[in-house]
Amino acid sequence: MDGGYRITLTLDERLPTRDASPELAVDGRSLGEAQESRDGRTLTLVTTDPAAAHPSSVRVAWQGVVPGATPRSAAATTGVPAGTPITSAPEAAGRYGVTRADYDFGDTALQLSGLTGVPVEERAAVWVPVGASGKRPVVVFLHGRADACYDPDAGTFDNEHWPCVNGLEPMPSYVGYSRPAETLASQGYVVVSVSANAIGAFDQSTASPDRGGLARGQLVMAHLDLLAKADAGTAPGMSSLLKGKLDLGNVGLMGHSRGGDGVVRAALLNAARPTPYGIRGVLPLAPIDRTRPALTDVPMAVLLPYCDGDVSNQEGQHFFEDSRYTSRTDSALKSSLLVMGANHNYFNSVWTEAYGDDWDLYVDPADPTCGTTAAGNTRLTFEEQQKTGIAYTAGFFRMTLGKESAFLPMFQASAGSAVRVGAATVLQATQSPAAQRLDVAPLQAAAANVTFAGKVLGQYCASIAGRSPQSGLPSCSDSTATSRFPSFTPVTHTANVPATPMLHMTWANGGQMTAALPSGRYDVSRYGALTLRAAPDGANNATDLRLTVVDGAGRTQSTTVSALSDALSPLPAGNPDVLPKTWLRTVRWPVAQMTAVDTTDIRQILITTATATGGVLLSDLAFTTPSVGTGAPTKLPQLSVADTTANENAGTATVAVTLSKASSLPVTVHLQAMASTGTQIAAGAKQVTIPAGQTTTMVTVPIQDNSTVDATADTRYEVVLGYPTNAVTGKNTAYATIHDDEA
C-alpha cells in the first residue's frame, strides 16, 4: 500500500484466547500488535517498517516472543532470592459464616459506550458475611479475557459469539476467585465478583479500540451503581441480604489480567464523578496496561507472576512506574510485587481447570526455571499459588479498607527487598506516600544536586530498542526481548511514549555518584530508611555498590547494597526471550543503623562502585517510612482528547487536549498517534504541556499526503493520551478522521 505495508497471515486454526494480544513477526522480529479477525484465524498488521517489504517468514508472536523461534537456555543462572518470612496470616478464615447473594440479569442487560454495539451481561457472584453488624466494606473482583463460551463436558470453547450459541454455556470465569472471596467474606467484607464475558469476546475487535479497558471500567461502575440501589432497597431482583449492608464509602477493587486494566480505569472513572464512591484500594493482578494511565491518591499494589506465560512482558509494571511521580502530593502507597514461581492462570481456579498451566502452554514446559517438567524448577504448585493469592488479596484489602497495619510488610517491608509468604518468595518495589518520603534524587533526568566523578558514566535512559527517540534519551537496553524488561516494555496503544526514565550507571576502574540533600531538609531521623531501587543492567553479573551517608560535620558511615539486599544479583534465567527479568527492587538501609553520623544533619549520599567494572540501573533515591497513606479518589484534574477531522492534503490534523479544571502546576501528558488502518498518519508520540492556569492546548499531528485513491474515502486513526503528570487521564482515546482528497 502507498507509504507502508499491510501484512496478512491466515492460520490453520483459531488463535488461543489469551489476555496478551497477538502480534506479527517478520523474519523472527515482532513488528507490533495485529488486528485479529472475529474467527481468530486471520491477523493483519499495517506498518511502515522496511522489514515488511520482502519478508522470508511471517509468524504469530506474543509479547515480542515468537514461539519456538529461539533456543532454550540450558540452565537457570541463580536461585530464588531469600525472603524475610511474614508471620501474619491474612488468609486465615474469619469469625463469620458466609452466604451467597448472587444476581443475574441476563446476557444482554447492559450497553457500554466502551464496547460499541455489543450487549453485555449483568451477572455477579456475591459473598456476604453472616451476622456481621452494620454496613460492610465492599470488594469488587473483575476477571480478564478467557473464552466467553464453552462446553465443559466436551472441552470445546468459543470466543467468537455472544450470547453463546450451539448449546455452549457462558464460561464462569468470575467464580474462579471463590476462595479469596470466601476468605474475605468470613472476615467481614462483602465480595462481588463480576462476569465480563461479552467484553472478552469483542475486545480484540473494532467494537473496543482500547482492548476493553474503558468498557471494563464502565462495567465495574455499573455494578457499583446497582449495588448502591441494592443497599437502598430500590433494586428489584437483588437479594434482601444486601439492603443496608454495603459501605460504598469503603470500596476495594481487584482485577486479574485485562481486569487489572479495567479496575484502574474504574478508579479513574469514579474520581471523575461529582459524588464518587469511596474506592480506597486497587489491586491489579498479573495485569495488562494498554494506555499507561496513572493512579494517584489510592493505595495500589501490582502483583506480577515471574513465570507468567500469557502476559509474559508484565506490562502492568507501568501502573506502578507511571504513578510514582504523577503528583507531588500523592497520599497513597504504591507497590509492585514480583511473585517468584507464579504463573498467570493459577490465580483463577476456573482457568486452571479449563486451560492448565499457561507457561507450559505458551513458553516451554522444560524451561529450567519456570517449566513444570524441569528438575529443580522454581514453580509454585496450584495449591501454593492459590494460597499466595488468597493471602495477598485478603491482606491488601484488610490493610487498605480495614486499616489493619499488620499486613503492611507484605507490601512494603522495613528492611530487605523480598518477603516470604507461605511457599512464595515475593520481591518488592515500593514508594511511600509523599508525606512519608523525602525525595533526594528520583534519577529520572539530570539534576543539579547529582554529580559523577571518576571513571563512572551516569546516563539517563528510557525504554528499550529505540522505541522513544523523541524523548532525547538513549534506550536503557538495545534488546528487543521485551518480556525481559517489564519497566520498559512498549505498551500497545502508547508504543512510543517514553517508558520509565532512570539512571544507567556504568564504570570501569571505579567511580562515584554524589547526591546532595535538598537545602534545609537535612534531618532524616524521622524516616525509616534510605531507599533506592536497583538492578543489574544485564551486562555484568558481579556488581555491587557502596552507599555512604555524610553529615554536616563530615562524618561518614557506609554499607554495601549486597549487605542490605540481593537486588544487584541477577534473577533466575531460562528461555532467553523471557528470562531473566531485569526488575528493580527496593533496597532499604534503616536510618536506625546509621549510628556513626548525625541523622538530624545528613548532607550527602555517595554511591561508590564496589567492583572493578559493572553496570546498574538506579531509580528513586529517597528517605522513606513505610505507610499505606490515606486513600481516597483523586481530585487531580482529568485529561481528555477530542475527535478531529482533516483533509489528507492539509499537512496536519489538529487535536484538542483539555483539562476538566485548571491546575496550579503545568500538566504534561504524552499523545500517541497510531497508524492502525492506513498510513496517512505516521505512528509516533510527543509530549504535550498545558500551562498552569489553562485548560486547553491544541496539538498538531503530521499527515502524509499521497497521490492515489485510498481504499476508503475516510480513514480513522487512533490518538491516545498516556503517562500524565499533575493530572490523570479521563477520555484518553479519540480519532483523527482523514479524508482522502483524491477520493
Side-chain angles (χ1 to χ4, degrees), residues 657-701:
V657 178
T658 60
L659 278 175
S660 59
K661 59 183 179 182
S663 169
S664 60
L665 298 170
V667 168
T668 65
V669 70
H670 291 259
L671 184 144
Q672 171 86 52
M674 298 181 65
S676 55
T677 56
T679 57
Q680 292 107 322
I681 286 182
K686 63 169 64 176
Q687 181 171 293
V688 178
T689 300
I690 300 179
Q694 298 184 22
T695 58
T696 304
T697 190
M698 307 305 291
V699 185
T700 57
V701 179

Side-chain angles (χ1 to χ4, degrees), residues 89-94 139 183-184 187 189 391-407:
E91 71 278 13
V139 179
T183 299
L184 270 170
Q187 295 161 348
Y189 297 78
Y392 267 96
T393 303
F396 181 74
F397 293 116
R398 290 177 67 179
M399 177 183 72
T400 55
L401 308 186
K403 309 301 182 185
E404 296 186 59
S405 58
F407 304 120

Side-chain angles (χ1 to χ4, degrees), residues 333-698:
L333 169 70
K334 301 293 178 287
S335 181
S336 186
L337 307 164
L338 192 60
V339 185
M340 305 305 294
N343 74 352
H344 195 83
N345 285 349
Y346 282 5
F347 289 112
N348 184 305
S349 60
V350 170
W351 291 0
T352 302
E353 183 176 353
Y355 304 117
D357 184 275
D358 51 277
W359 181 277
D360 285 2
L361 281 172
Y362 304 133
V363 187
D364 181 13
D367 184 86
T369 291
C370 293
T372 59
T373 65
N377 69 74
T378 66
R379 288 296 305 279
L380 299 174
T381 66
F382 167 73
E383 185 62 26
E384 289 169 341
Q385 186 167 328
Q386 277 278 300
K387 289 181 177 178
T388 301
I390 295 167
Y392 267 96
T393 303
F396 181 74
F397 293 116
R398 290 177 67 179
M399 177 183 72
T400 55
L401 308 186
K403 309 301 182 185
E404 296 186 59
S405 58
F407 304 120
L408 178 57
M410 294 174 60
F411 303 89
Q412 187 181 31
S414 58
S417 297
V419 295
R420 186 93 174 168
V421 177
T425 295
V426 182
L427 313 187
Q428 296 185 344
T430 65
Q431 187 183 58
S432 294
Q436 284 77 40
R437 190 177 83 242
L438 170 61
D439 291 322
V440 178
L443 300 179
Q444 292 187 302
N449 71 320
V450 177
T451 57
F452 301 91
K455 294 185 178 180
V456 63
L457 174 63
Q459 188 174 50
Y460 295 93
C461 63
S463 307
I464 61 172
R467 294 304 294 261
S468 57
Q470 76 285 349
S471 69
L473 297 174
S475 294
C476 294
S477 172
D478 293 329
S479 174
T480 58
T482 59
S483 288
R484 290 183 54 189
F485 299 91
S487 296
F488 310 121
T489 189
V491 171
T492 303
H493 293 266
T494 49
N496 305 116
V497 173
T500 318
M502 63 177 58
L503 177 66
H504 186 192
M505 196 167 84
T506 57
W507 63 92
N509 299 320
Q512 180 174 286
M513 184 191 97
T514 300
L517 270 70
S519 178
R521 301 194 64 185
Y522 306 137
D523 185 354
V524 302
S525 60
R526 72 180 183 91
Y527 295 101
L530 173 65
T531 56
L532 171 72
R533 281 205 302 145
D537 67 359
N540 189 305
N541 290 336
T543 299
D544 201 3
L545 295 172
R546 181 174 292 104
L547 304 180
T548 303
V549 287
V550 184
D551 68 16
R555 292 183 292 263
T556 65
Q557 185 171 340
S558 299
T559 188
T560 58
V561 168
S562 60
L564 301 169
S565 161
D566 52 11
L568 292 179
S569 298
L571 293 174
N575 181 303
D577 281 337
V578 183
L579 304 175
K581 306 290 186 185
T582 293
W583 195 81
L584 281 72
R585 289 169 262 177
T586 298
V587 179
R588 302 176 176 93
W589 183 9
V591 170
Q593 295 179 6
M594 301 176 185
T595 57
V597 293
D598 180 2
T599 56
T600 68
D601 188 27
I602 298 297
R603 300 302 181 97
Q604 291 180 327
I605 300 167
L606 312 180
I607 300 180
T608 310
T609 60
T611 52
T613 61
V616 295
L617 295 165
L618 302 176
S619 186
D620 306 333
L621 181 62
F623 285 93
T624 65
T625 298
S627 174
V628 182
T630 53
T634 185
K635 295 183 180 179
L636 288 178
Q638 298 225 348
L639 285 152
S640 298
V641 60
D643 294 340
T644 191
T645 59
N647 286 329
E648 182 184 78
N649 59 0
T652 59
T654 302
V655 179
V657 178
T658 60
L659 278 175
S660 59
K661 59 183 179 182
S663 169
S664 60
L665 298 170
V667 168
T668 65
V669 70
H670 291 259
L671 184 144
Q672 171 86 52
M674 298 181 65
S676 55
T677 56
T679 57
Q680 292 107 322
I681 286 182
K686 63 169 64 176
Q687 181 171 293
V688 178
T689 300
I690 300 179
Q694 298 184 22
T695 58
T696 304
T697 190
M698 307 305 291

Side-chain angles (χ1 to χ4, degrees), residues 96-102 126-131 185 191 239 241:
Y96 299 107
V98 178
T99 190
R100 295 285 286 272
D102 299 3
V126 184
W127 291 261
V128 181
V130 175
V191 182
S239 171
L241 292 173

Side-chain angles (χ1 to χ4, degrees), residues 220-395:
V220 170
M221 296 308 299
H223 280 269
L224 286 174
D225 290 341
L226 180 62
L227 292 168
K229 293 178 182 178
D231 180 66
T234 59
M238 296 289 281
S239 171
S240 61
L241 292 173
L242 303 178
K243 183 178 179 180
K245 290 296 183 182
L246 305 179
D247 182 1
L248 294 174
N250 197 15
V251 176
L253 306 179
M254 184 282 284
H256 185 193
S257 206
R258 294 198 188 194
D261 189 27
V263 295
V264 172
R265 298 290 289 273
L268 294 172
L269 289 170
N270 178 66
R273 290 189 171 194
T275 307
Y277 297 109
I279 294 176
R280 302 187 185 281
V282 176
L283 181 67
L285 171 60
I288 69 161
D289 175 1
R290 294 297 157 88
T291 58
R292 308 242 335 246
L295 183 62
T296 64
D297 299 314
V298 178
M300 176 174 62
V302 182
L303 261 67
L304 304 173
Y306 192 74
C307 296
D308 194 323
D310 187 348
V311 186
S312 61
N313 71 8
Q314 288 142 336
E315 61 193 51
Q317 174 70 13
H318 287 296
F319 288 132
F320 170 78
E321 302 287 7
D322 294 349
S323 300
R324 291 170 300 141
Y325 299 110
T326 298
S327 169
R328 296 179 184 176
T329 59
D330 192 339
S331 60
L333 169 70
K334 301 293 178 287
S335 181
S336 186
L337 307 164
L338 192 60
V339 185
M340 305 305 294
N343 74 352
H344 195 83
N345 285 349
Y346 282 5
F347 289 112
N348 184 305
S349 60
V350 170
W351 291 0
T352 302
E353 183 176 353
Y355 304 117
D357 184 275
D358 51 277
W359 181 277
D360 285 2
L361 281 172
Y362 304 133
V363 187
D364 181 13
D367 184 86
T369 291
C370 293
T372 59
T373 65
N377 69 74
T378 66
R379 288 296 305 279
L380 299 174
T381 66
F382 167 73
E383 185 62 26
E384 289 169 341
Q385 186 167 328
Q386 277 278 300
K387 289 181 177 178
T388 301
I390 295 167
Y392 267 96
T393 303

